[in-house]
Structure formats: structure tokens, C-alpha cells
Amino acid sequence: AGTWSLDLLEDMKLMQANFNLPTELLLTWATLNGAKALEFSPEKYRIQPGDQPKLLHITHVDPENAKLSAASQVQRL
């Protein structure tokens, strides 16, 4: 974690603000790469028919360039 809050979204905002990284790359680092690092089987990080996944939605993303904003927050779906 790069922030004192240990909040992954805050880390993503910080990296994007300082290094202009694409949101898609940050999401990959935060999700898929984490699952691979923990050696989860592919079934654990893929949504398949019949699954009831616990999904999160990031709000306040700039629709024109898909960038996070200071107001971006996570909501459970």
C-alpha cells in the first residue's frame, strides 16, 4: 500500500495522479494480478454462469477518459 489508509482505491488514485496510469491497468494490478499472486485457481477469478459474485462498482469515474477522480468511491453491488 502506498497510502496511510491502506485503501486500495486511494492507492490507485494516487498512482494515477502521479504517473498518469490508465484505470484499466490499475484495475488489473488490483484484481487479476493479486489473484494470481495468491495462486488462486482461474475458477476463483472468473465469473461464470450460475455464479453469484460479490461485485464492486467505482463511482465518479470521468466518462470521457475513464480516469478516477478525488470523488471516486467503491460501492458494493
Side-chain angles (χ1 to χ4, degrees), residues 1-72:
T3 61
W4 290 106
S5 68
L6 300 177
D7 181 325
L8 193 54
L9 182 59
E10 289 302 315
D11 285 349
M12 291 168 57
K13 289 184 210 178
L14 181 68
M15 287 188 283
Q16 191 167 67
N18 288 293
F19 303 107
N20 197 31
L21 298 169
T23 303
E24 183 178 351
L25 176 63
L26 294 170
L27 287 170
T28 298
W29 288 353
T31 57
L32 183 60
N33 288 0
K36 288 179 179 179
L38 294 171
E39 298 182 356
F40 287 170
S41 67
E43 294 78 34
K44 293 271 188 185
Y45 54 82
R46 288 196 178 109
I47 299 172
Q48 299 181 20
D51 287 352
Q52 294 181 331
K54 295 176 179 101
L55 300 176
L56 302 175
H57 171 71
I58 300 176
T59 64
H60 304 290
V61 176
D62 185 329
E64 289 185 28
N65 61 18
K67 295 283 185 179
L68 302 171
S69 72
S72 294

